[in-house]
Amino acid sequence: MKTATKQVLKHHICCQSNNRISWNLFTSETGHFVGCGFYAKMLFRCWSSAASFFLHKRGLQSLQMVYAEYGDPSKVLHERTEELKPLSKGELRYKMLAASINPSDINQVQGVYPVKPPLPAVGGGDCVMKVEELGPEVKEFQVGDWAIPSHPGFGAWRTCGITTPEHLIKVNSKLPAQYAATLSVNPSTAYRMLKDYVKLGAGDAVLQNAANSAVGQLIIQLARHFGHKTVNIIRDKNDGGKTAEYLRSLGADYVVTDTQFKEESKRIFGELGPPKLALNCVSGRSTLYLAGALAPRGKLVTYGGMSKQALQIPSGALIFKNIQVLGFWLTDWDQKPENRQQRIQMLDELSELALSGKLKMPLYESVPFKDFRRAMEESLTGTGKKKMLVFD
Amino acid sequence: MKTATKQVLKHHICCQSNNRISWNLFTSETGHFVGCGFYAKMLFRCWSSAASFFLHKRGLQSLQMVYAEYGDPSKVLHERTEELKPLSKGELRYKMLAASINPSDINQVQGVYPVKPPLPAVGGGDCVMKVEELGPEVKEFQVGDWAIPSHPGFGAWRTCGITTPEHLIKVNSKLPAQYAATLSVNPSTAYRMLKDYVKLGAGDAVLQNAANSAVGQLIIQLARHFGHKTVNIIRDKNDGGKTAEYLRSLGADYVVTDTQFKEESKRIFGELGPPKLALNCVSGRSTLYLAGALAPRGKLVTYGGMSKQALQIPSGALIFKNIQVLGFWLTDWDQKPENRQQRIQMLDELSELALSGKLKMPLYESVPFKDFRRAMEESLTGTGKKKMLVFD
């Protein structure tokens, strides 16, 4: 079964990349006359494969990475080809342009993420699509428009598909596809955390750990754009200043290692004033120091836990400084219908910032969809850069 | 100097407890005639001591436990006698009825508490006083009224004093003095935490650790009065069921040890529904389990840190369940002028509940003020019950 699906994958990858059909499937294994049954079978296979070819040429056959059970993504994900039906009223057909592999996508396949689409499910969430065909009565989109999913667990790892407009949000088609595919998660996370927790004025300090993460880099750039100062903590073990230099080039005001922060935080916040907002992607002992540095009534917002340890919060900071320890999950924010309009505005603003060069997206490695397994393997082992699947 | 103040203390304690003067001070050490100087000196001492006697009998001489520097309470606290001046406009004179020794009072003397009255300061905060004399134009109180301090760091460890009405809140004089003296802290803390964080309905579950603490016992009783269910965690090392039995007699719905909670929380909250509010006085690993049990968007409120360890909060509970980790400090709430009216209403309600028998105050050991040093020593070493100083 697995071999068969692999053959189908090769067949379609071949179609996709060389624009011609591999005819292997149409030859009998022996080349001998084996009676009417054989010819009938051969004729049927010939017809179905030719139909598949034309469907695929019209973008009506979707190659997908699917999982039918939770588990190790390198084991449970398998290829599937789906014939796309003619569009019904209110439906539209899209072609995938780019889709990323995020830790949350991996956790979803592993079954350890709170978003659990019904199985079997196409993997992946963040992507950008191009609208290719409109069904009757679709007015929200034009052919050629670009869109990103409006809901989590969309199923991004597929060459094309059919959906309805409420599952999509239009984005600026002038953006590079890789940028557009990541707009909906990391930049939005950075944006909302800077906007929704504390009313920050010009020159107000924002403190963050994991400053070199994708979100961390976007926080630096957005904070600079909004006029805030950032104090950025990176790991003690780093590349001897290159990371700090890169973050400063993005607009970081202070970049310190964990150890430097413990020694210098008093001086830094003596200059800047204590931060009202601290953003945490590490947890563990790191939050002891974030909480300790926060201003009275300051907020510590957690959006990740890279150390895989619980946050440590001193009781005194909660009781006597009245700090608040909160969490942010973009999926939860995105899912609220009342945020839809605000989300569209935010994505427009983020697109403008990216187009004007004020927002550099974190670097990705582009990987053709046919090399999905390598991309996944490297994502699982944490080797190389974050992966962006591209579709020709 | 220290010996001198001790003698003065003994002298006054003697006055207080036996209603007569110890005349030791008026005898010469030799008993011989030593000239006019001696008689003049003796006459002066005689006069001043007699004056002191009458002042004290009228309650105009205040014996106080004072600290002029921060440090070990058994070392830095010393006795002082203060002559009370005649009342000015807007002042009133009070007699102390009862005053407690709380951990926060000890921390204040140690200099590790955020409330720092100007030094030298009279120690102690929670107390109940009886108004004994009104200065001109005082209309807020009558002679005989009972009052508690309206501000922290009042200086409760004194036999009597002069203050102004805005530093006091009237309380019901039908209460036992020991009850009234503790109204302003523990019951108010329990009350506010149940009222101000989560809108709880009838039958809603409240989870707490340190359920046997003074505040814990009050939470159980107030929650029962408000119609909520309590799940109460006590230490693994306890007295073999007596504590659980006592807490159940106060109205606790579930009493479990730390270990039992880990095993049974699913079953308990399967029956009750997950709690929207968890109250933490322990911190450390205990909060891992409180946070884990909380309902989505639930609140974990910290009012103490008995384990002297930082809280541990799982990142996932913040991100995916969107729980909030907050702190409560009654002093902060009390200090806000906008809460004054609400505070008076709350104290009235708590007094009614205590008078009607619905609210049992946690048990204290009453200690005469003259035995202050023993009471402090036992408070510092944690031996015996919490101490309530009483004044005859």
Side-chain angles (χ1 to χ4, degrees):
Chain A
M1 184 67 190
K2 201 171 172 186
T3 318
T5 51
K6 271 199 176 169
Q7 280 177 347
V8 175
L9 177 67
K10 276 183 193 160
H11 164 65
H12 285 288
I13 295 299
C14 186
C15 297
Q16 278 197 297
S17 53
N18 305 333
N19 278 335
R20 62 182 171 82
I21 283 185
S22 157
W23 293 96
N24 299 343
L25 284 171
F26 309 139
T27 59
S28 84
E29 273 155 29
T30 61
H32 296 298
F33 177 78
V34 287
C36 294
F38 167 75
Y39 283 106
K41 198 174 169 186
M42 202 183 76
L43 271 168
F44 174 76
R45 290 168 82 180
C46 192
W47 169 83
S48 67
S49 211
S52 167
F53 168 73
F54 289 110
L55 284 168
H56 186 80
K57 285 301 284 179
R58 288 176 53 215
L60 299 182
Q61 199 171 48
S62 174
L63 180 66
Q64 309 168 342
M65 296 303 299
V66 180
Y67 57 108
E69 58 181 327
Y70 298 120
D72 177 355
S74 61
K75 289 182 183 152
V76 297
L77 280 166
H78 62 272
E79 300 83 358
R80 179 177 76 177
T81 302
E82 189 189 24
E83 308 291 334
L84 301 188
K85 293 176 188 163
L87 295 179
S88 299
K89 196 172 80 176
E91 289 183 338
L92 58 79
R93 184 167 56 79
Y94 61 84
K95 176 185 176 345
M96 194 60 70
L97 299 176
S100 57
I101 298 180
N102 291 320
S104 58
D105 300 324
I106 292 172
N107 293 341
Q108 218 160 307
V109 179
Q110 289 164 332
V112 296
Y113 199 71
V115 172
K116 290 187 168 64
L119 299 184
V122 178
D126 303 326
C127 56
V128 63
M129 300 155 267
K130 185 178 178 185
V131 175
E132 297 230 301
E133 186 184 352
L134 302 175
E137 298 183 23
V138 173
K139 291 167 187 164
E140 297 87 342
F141 286 89
Q142 300 285 320
V143 169
D145 279 350
W146 283 19
I148 59 173
S150 68
H151 300 294
F154 179 82
W157 301 334
R158 63 175 104 200
T159 55
C160 57
I162 291 172
T163 188
T164 49
E166 72 268 21
H167 292 112
L168 301 179
I169 289 181
K170 208 182 287 184
V171 291
N172 194 323
S173 61
K174 290 178 190 158
L175 287 166
Q178 289 95 320
Y179 281 19
T182 59
L183 258 188
S184 70
V185 178
N186 290 344
S188 303
T189 298
Y191 187 102
R192 295 258 64 92
M193 291 198 300
L194 288 171
K195 287 285 190 189
D196 293 350
Y197 290 87
V198 171
K199 197 170 166 57
L200 293 169
D204 279 347
V206 175
L207 171 62
Q208 69 162 332
N209 59 21
N212 190 40
S213 68
V215 174
Q217 293 179 37
L218 292 155
I219 286 167
I220 290 170
Q221 298 174 79
L222 284 174
R224 182 189 50 173
H225 174 66
F226 297 145
H228 316 317
K229 302 283 183 191
T230 53
V231 178
N232 301 279
I233 306 175
I234 57 174
R235 283 179 225 193
D236 277 329
K237 279 188 185 176
N238 62 72
D239 49 11
K242 277 187 190 168
T243 299
E245 197 181 326
Y246 179 68
L247 297 184
R248 281 193 203 99
S249 79
L250 293 178
D253 296 287
Y254 294 80
V255 185
V256 285
T257 63
D258 285 306
T259 303
Q260 285 168 342
F261 181 73
K262 288 173 211 167
E263 291 160 359
E264 296 180 31
S265 70
K266 278 199 177 172
R267 177 186 63 78
I268 294 170
F269 295 116
E271 288 168 27
L272 290 180
K276 296 174 195 160
L277 179 66
L279 304 173
N280 165 46
C281 186
V282 177
S283 303
R285 286 185 66 80
S286 179
T287 51
L288 271 184
Y289 303 102
L290 298 189
L294 268 180
R297 300 181 205 289
K299 293 181 184 177
L300 170 60
V301 180
T302 291
Y303 66 98
M306 279 165 54
S307 69
K308 297 194 176 168
Q309 294 177 338
L311 289 88
Q312 291 192 32
I313 306 293
S315 307
L318 289 164
I319 300 170
F320 302 126
K321 284 206 304 185
N322 204 4
I323 69 161
Q324 296 184 19
V325 181
L326 309 167
F328 179 73
W329 188 28
L330 186 70
T331 298
D332 189 51
W333 189 87
D334 281 348
Q335 276 175 330
K336 290 177 184 156
E338 65 268 28
N339 292 336
R340 189 176 162 93
Q341 199 50 44
Q342 209 177 346
R343 189 179 175 199
I344 291 167
Q345 284 168 5
M346 171 179 68
L347 292 170
D348 283 347
E349 191 179 337
L350 290 169
S351 300
E352 287 301 320
L353 288 171
L355 282 169
S356 68
K358 287 185 183 163
L359 200 61
K360 276 190 193 177
M361 294 288 161
L363 302 174
Y364 291 91
E365 181 193 349
S366 293
V367 178
F369 188 45
K370 71 178 173 62
D371 295 334
F372 178 86
R373 290 212 173 272
R374 172 178 71 82
M376 177 52 77
E377 215 53 53
E378 289 186 19
S379 301
L380 287 170
T381 53
T383 50
K385 287 202 190 81
K386 205 166 169 179
K387 303 297 183 269
M388 177 66 69
L389 303 167
V390 288
F391 301 75
D392 61 2
Chain B
M1 183 68 191
K2 201 169 172 187
T3 318
T5 49
K6 268 198 177 169
Q7 280 177 343
V8 175
L9 177 69
K10 275 184 193 157
H11 165 64
H12 284 288
I13 295 300
C14 185
C15 297
Q16 279 195 297
S17 54
N18 304 331
N19 278 335
R20 61 182 173 81
I21 284 185
S22 156
W23 292 97
N24 299 345
L25 284 171
F26 308 139
T27 59
S28 83
E29 275 154 28
T30 60
H32 294 298
F33 177 78
V34 287
C36 290
F38 168 76
Y39 284 108
K41 197 173 170 187
M42 200 183 78
L43 270 170
F44 173 76
R45 291 167 83 179
C46 191
W47 170 82
S48 68
S49 211
S52 167
F53 170 73
F54 289 110
L55 284 169
H56 185 81
K57 286 301 282 180
R58 287 178 51 217
L60 297 184
Q61 198 170 49
S62 173
L63 180 67
Q64 309 169 342
M65 296 304 299
V66 179
Y67 57 108
E69 58 182 327
Y70 299 120
D72 177 354
S74 61
K75 288 181 184 152
V76 298
L77 280 166
H78 61 272
E79 301 85 355
R80 177 176 80 178
T81 303
E82 188 189 25
E83 307 292 333
L84 301 189
K85 292 175 188 162
L87 296 180
S88 298
K89 196 171 82 175
E91 288 182 339
L92 58 77
R93 183 169 56 81
Y94 60 83
K95 174 185 178 348
M96 194 61 69
L97 299 176
S100 56
I101 298 180
N102 290 321
S104 57
D105 300 324
I106 292 172
N107 293 341
Q108 217 160 305
V109 178
Q110 289 165 333
V112 296
Y113 199 71
V115 172
K116 289 186 169 66
L119 299 185
V122 178
D126 303 326
C127 56
V128 63
M129 300 155 268
K130 185 179 178 184
V131 175
E132 295 229 301
E133 187 184 351
L134 303 177
E137 297 181 25
V138 174
K139 289 166 189 165
E140 296 88 341
F141 286 88
Q142 301 285 322
V143 169
D145 279 350
W146 283 20
I148 60 172
S150 69
H151 300 294
F154 179 82
W157 300 335
R158 63 175 106 202
T159 55
C160 57
I162 291 172
T163 188
T164 50
E166 72 269 21
H167 292 113
L168 300 180
I169 289 182
K170 206 182 288 185
V171 291
N172 194 322
S173 61
K174 288 178 192 159
L175 287 167
Q178 289 96 321
Y179 281 18
T182 60
L183 258 189
S184 70
V185 178
N186 290 344
S188 301
T189 298
Y191 187 103
R192 296 259 64 92
M193 291 198 299
L194 288 171
K195 287 285 189 188
D196 293 350
Y197 290 88
V198 171
K199 197 171 165 56
L200 293 169
D204 278 348
V206 175
L207 170 62
Q208 68 163 335
N209 59 22
N212 190 40
S213 69
V215 174
Q217 292 180 37
L218 291 155
I219 286 166
I220 291 170
Q221 297 174 80
L222 284 173
R224 181 189 52 173
H225 173 65
F226 296 145
H228 317 317
K229 302 282 183 190
T230 53
V231 178
N232 302 280
I233 305 176
I234 56 175
R235 285 179 222 194
D236 276 329
K237 279 188 186 176
N238 62 70
D239 48 10
K242 278 188 190 167
T243 300
E245 197 180 327
Y246 179 67
L247 297 184
R248 281 193 203 98
S249 79
L250 294 179
D253 295 287
Y254 294 80
V255 184
V256 285
T257 64
D258 286 305
T259 303
Q260 286 168 342
F261 182 72
K262 288 172 210 167
E263 292 161 358
E264 297 180 30
S265 70
K266 278 200 176 172
R267 176 186 64 77
I268 293 170
F269 295 117
E271 290 168 25
L272 289 180
K276 297 175 195 161
L277 179 66
L279 304 173
N280 165 46
C281 186
V282 177
S283 303
R285 287 183 66 79
S286 178
T287 52
L288 272 184
Y289 303 102
L290 297 190
L294 267 180
R297 302 181 204 287
K299 293 182 183 176
L300 170 60
V301 180
T302 291
Y303 66 98
M306 279 166 54
S307 69
K308 297 193 177 170
Q309 294 177 338
L311 289 89
Q312 291 193 33
I313 306 293
S315 307
L318 289 163
I319 301 170
F320 303 126
K321 283 206 306 184
N322 204 5
I323 69 160
Q324 297 184 19
V325 180
L326 309 167
F328 179 73
W329 188 28
L330 186 69
T331 297
D332 188 51
W333 188 88
D334 279 350
Q335 276 174 331
K336 291 178 184 157
E338 65 267 29
N339 292 335
R340 187 174 163 94
Q341 199 48 44
Q342 209 177 345
R343 189 177 175 201
I344 291 168
Q345 284 168 4
M346 171 179 70
L347 291 171
D348 283 347
E349 191 179 338
L350 289 169
S351 300
E352 287 300 319
L353 287 172
L355 283 169
S356 68
K358 287 184 183 164
L359 200 61
K360 275 191 192 175
M361 294 289 160
L363 301 175
Y364 291 90
E365 182 194 346
S366 293
V367 178
F369 189 47
K370 73 179 172 63
D371 295 335
F372 179 85
R373 292 212 171 269
R374 173 179 70 83
M376 176 54 75
E377 215 53 53
E378 290 186 19
S379 300
L380 287 169
T381 53
T383 50
K385 286 203 193 81
K386 205 167 166 179
K387 302 297 184 269
M388 176 66 69
L389 303 167
V390 287
F391 301 76
D392 61 5

